[in-house]
Amino acid sequence: MENLLYLALFIGVVSIVITDKLTQAFKLSSIWGMLGQISASLVIIMVGNLEVNHISLGNNFELGYLTVPFTLLLLVSFTNVMNIEKVQNPSILLLPFVSLVFFSIAAFVIGHPFVLITGICSSLTLMFILLYGYFTGKVFVGRTLTTSIGFIIAVLSISLIKSSIVTIYIPLFTLALPFTLYYLIQDKITNVQSITVSFLTAILFGVLMYIVPFNIIWYLVVGLTSILVITQFSRKYRFI
């Protein structure tokens, strides 16, 4: 079963890359990129058999017919957290790097080999890209790369959420929140400073996950989710 999930993840990433490149090459509407993400997410659900069919909050709440739509919504939403058109500074990749590291730590604690292996491999790949960009200055961070990373994080998120809904804290507080903060302050201070502040914020909230009781974390998740939903009404901070 895990082999199918690895295969589905690979197919999904390839699908997103191809769709995004075609969209850019032929200057197509962004709706085609979204369709590519939906297709990649359906591959994860159907081929990888990865879906959230219940939510455990003390009692199990079965989603029933809402299972596929709910899983699809989460996958596409998390994929678009890193909704970046063009960024010359590869240091922005520090934010998903932190998120992947905490995914790996959580997977090690929970005992989830797929998330652990994928998280470690993805974080090492990002580290290589960061170091290559630092020493050569040739790395260009665009939508194709950030969307692919976002998709991988989305799949890891769903995988852990199946074990515990509280783990939704990881993508929200170590990625979505830092990126929202980055958007808010990037025009007020230098790019390097805004990335640094967001990076330290991601680390801080990631560490808090192992200090703060889970019931309090759940309140934080609900609160932040509400705020992020509200921000989607503003085009400047929209990532869906």
Side-chain angles (χ1 to χ4, degrees):
M1 191 65 68
E2 267 194 16
N3 290 336
L4 286 177
L5 192 50
Y6 284 114
L7 176 62
L9 178 60
F10 176 76
I11 294 174
V13 171
V14 171
S15 173
I16 286 177
V17 170
I18 292 176
T19 304
D20 201 64
K21 288 298 185 182
L22 290 176
T23 300
Q24 294 177 30
F26 294 100
K27 295 180 170 47
L28 302 175
S29 169
S30 58
I31 190 65
W32 290 101
M34 183 65 71
L35 289 175
Q37 296 172 22
I38 292 174
S39 299
S41 299
L42 288 175
V43 169
I44 289 294
I45 295 172
M46 302 304 177
V47 179
N49 195 30
L50 183 64
E51 58 186 27
V52 181
N53 49 29
H54 71 276
I55 298 176
S56 180
L57 295 173
N59 296 320
N60 283 341
F61 176 73
E62 298 295 333
L63 292 174
Y65 292 112
L66 295 176
T67 294
V68 172
F70 181 74
T71 306
L72 189 61
L73 176 63
L74 287 180
L75 284 170
V76 174
S77 298
F78 287 142
T79 297
N80 284 279
V81 167
M82 295 182 62
N83 195 353
I84 300 176
E85 288 287 350
K86 297 177 181 179
V87 176
Q88 296 293 341
N89 191 344
S91 297
I92 192 68
L93 296 179
L94 283 171
L95 302 184
F97 173 77
V98 171
S99 188
L100 287 166
V101 168
F102 280 107
F103 268 116
S104 301
I105 294 173
F108 177 77
V109 173
I110 294 174
H112 200 302
F114 169 74
V115 175
L116 179 61
I117 294 173
T118 306
I120 291 175
C121 291
S122 300
S123 58
L124 289 176
T125 301
L126 279 186
M127 181 55 69
F128 172 78
I129 294 174
L130 282 164
L131 291 175
Y132 181 79
Y134 177 79
F135 288 109
T136 66
K138 297 181 180 179
V139 173
F140 175 79
V141 180
R143 180 178 291 277
T144 302
L145 176 60
T146 56
T147 303
S148 300
I149 296 170
F151 179 70
I152 293 173
I153 289 177
V155 173
L156 299 186
S157 300
I158 300 301
S159 300
L160 285 187
I161 288 172
K162 287 188 66 176
S163 301
S164 172
I165 188 66
V166 179
T167 57
I168 197 174
Y169 175 96
I170 300 176
L172 286 177
F173 279 85
T174 66
L175 190 60
L177 176 61
F179 261 103
T180 303
L181 178 62
Y182 172 76
Y183 294 141
L184 284 169
I185 65 177
Q186 63 176 337
D187 296 328
K188 298 177 176 61
I189 55 179
T190 67
N191 186 259
V192 173
Q193 289 174 329
S194 58
I195 291 175
T196 301
V197 171
S198 302
F199 172 67
L200 294 176
T201 300
I203 295 177
L204 172 63
F205 278 97
V207 172
L208 286 179
M209 179 177 62
Y210 298 97
I211 300 175
V212 179
F214 270 12
N215 60 324
I216 296 179
I217 284 181
W218 179 246
Y219 290 128
L220 292 175
V221 168
V222 173
L224 177 62
T225 302
S226 302
I227 294 173
L228 290 177
V229 169
I230 294 173
T231 61
Q232 299 316 291
F233 292 102
S234 171
R235 183 175 181 83
K236 182 177 180 180
Y237 309 116
R238 186 176 301 158
F239 59 79
I240 297 178

